[in-house]
Amino acid sequence: MNYNGTLLKMETKLETPVEYELPIGDELVFMNPLIGKYIVFRWVKEIYCVTCGKKTNKSFAQGFCYPCFISAPETSECIIRPELCEAHKGIARDMEWAENHCLQDHFVYLAISSGVKVGVTRSVQIPTRWIDQGAKQAIRLAKVPNRYIAGLIEVALKEHISDRTNWQRMLKNQIIEGVDLRDKKNEMLEFLTDNLKQYECPNNETIEINYPVNEYPEKIKSLSFDKMDEIAGRLWGIKGQYLIFDDGTVLNIRKHTGYRVVLEI
């Protein structure tokens, strides 16, 4: 069976384990049943911008052509650094986009993907954001009315906790043990000033996430279409936005958003 089209990041559903669908062109490929099967990706040497749809020689920021990379609201500086968001002041690359993305409820959260990290996401992106990062557990720490305030809380907490995921350890399932996220949440809240602590989220539910992985590899090697036209192997699991093959190689689907490929099963 073959599928042909441009890749988008995998769509997910929080089940036990997580269910994955891979968009290829107009098709949605249900990936969980493919675990254990031999699959082949062939890149046809074409990349298309996820915003304007134009063909581009190089992808920037996971799927954008260069003009869109420097002008699209999706690549604004505040996407990486929420504390720089100015939408609440009426300043943005696209205010209509900002009203739907920056000026909406956001959560600051704690998650365990390898170690414990702090992060920011829109309320509608829970639990998608946690799954995309390969988190094993997550908890809401604060609920705020816009991206800027979420960024202020994240900056305050980054002095005491990481804001990054060690993707190699995450894919090898090397996860810190013995951490109660509810206790960690209380510990982190003590580092906030009163004007930020007021946004504490009363929901203390810890979300557990399980992934469809037969066995985690001891060593990881990342593959890229930029270096090879064909990526093939027996699919052994899926975690975050990574396909894990039985030889320990991994393919980051999100990194290759906009790449046109043929998938053969």
Side-chain angles (χ1 to χ4, degrees):
M1 186 176 296
N2 289 0
Y3 299 90
N4 188 330
T6 54
L7 291 173
L8 293 177
K9 85 177 189 75
M10 288 182 284
E11 298 180 8
T12 60
K13 185 177 181 181
L14 182 58
E15 298 289 349
T16 304
V18 172
E19 293 183 355
Y20 282 92
E21 290 183 309
L22 175 63
I24 301 182
D26 296 328
E27 300 282 348
L28 268 179
V29 183
F30 188 27
M31 298 299 291
N32 293 53
L34 302 186
I35 294 175
K37 296 186 177 182
Y38 193 85
I39 63 175
V40 181
F41 286 95
R42 294 186 178 90
W43 180 37
V44 299
K45 298 291 186 71
E46 294 177 3
I47 308 173
Y48 295 90
C49 177
V50 294
T51 295
C52 68
K54 293 181 179 178
K55 190 175 180 180
T56 177
N57 292 326
K58 184 178 180 182
S59 175
F60 296 85
Q62 301 174 336
F64 298 86
C65 65
Y66 187 72
C68 288
F69 170 65
I70 62 175
S71 63
E74 296 94 331
T75 59
S76 300
E77 194 172 17
C78 75
I79 299 303
I80 303 297
R81 299 181 61 190
E83 72 275 13
L84 299 181
C85 185
E86 296 186 295
H88 59 291
K89 300 179 182 177
I91 302 172
R93 288 183 178 180
D94 182 327
M95 272 308 301
E96 182 178 354
W97 186 92
E99 287 172 359
N100 292 322
H101 292 80
C102 298
L103 301 181
Q104 298 292 324
D105 286 346
H106 279 62
F107 282 102
V108 181
Y109 62 86
L110 301 179
I112 299 176
S113 50
S114 51
V116 184
K117 73 176 291 289
V118 61
V120 167
T121 192
R122 284 182 296 143
S123 58
V124 296
Q125 284 296 99
I126 288 178
T128 301
R129 178 65 170 164
W130 299 339
I131 295 172
D132 287 350
Q133 292 184 337
K136 176 66 176 174
Q137 295 179 337
I139 191 172
R140 299 166 177 86
L141 183 140
K143 183 178 181 179
V144 301
N146 58 55
R147 190 166 184 82
Y148 171 70
I149 298 175
L152 294 182
I153 294 176
E154 184 182 45
V155 167
L157 296 185
K158 281 196 297 186
E159 296 182 13
H160 309 281
I161 193 171
S162 176
D163 66 331
R164 299 182 181 276
T165 296
N166 184 317
W167 64 271
Q168 295 100 331
R169 291 178 61 86
M170 178 270 289
L171 290 173
K172 289 187 284 188
N173 205 37
Q174 294 178 345
I175 298 173
I176 189 171
E177 297 181 356
V179 176
D180 187 318
L181 284 182
R182 289 166 296 187
D183 292 341
K184 199 68 176 178
K185 172 180 175 177
N186 291 331
E187 177 187 339
M188 291 298 107
L189 286 168
E190 291 304 310
F191 294 121
L192 299 180
T193 57
D194 289 342
N195 66 316
L196 294 178
K197 193 180 294 186
Q198 66 175 310
Y199 296 106
E200 175 186 350
C201 180
N203 186 340
N204 283 322
E205 180 186 13
T206 298
I207 303 299
E208 298 275 348
I209 306 175
N210 295 292
Y211 298 89
V213 180
N214 281 346
E215 185 177 352
Y216 287 98
E218 295 181 2
K219 295 183 179 180
I220 295 290
K221 180 182 178 182
S222 182
L223 304 177
S224 173
F225 292 123
D226 297 329
K227 296 181 179 179
M228 52 204 312
D229 299 340
E230 181 176 299
I231 293 175
R234 192 170 302 281
L235 183 62
W236 212 235
I238 311 173
K239 191 174 186 183
Q241 282 289 320
Y242 287 86
L243 302 183
I244 304 172
F245 297 98
D246 62 353
D247 61 355
T249 57
V250 299
L251 176 63
N252 184 346
I253 293 296
R254 190 163 195 170
K255 177 184 176 184
H256 296 94
T257 299
Y259 284 64
R260 185 174 179 181
V261 302
V262 174
L263 169 61
E264 179 182 333
I265 302 167

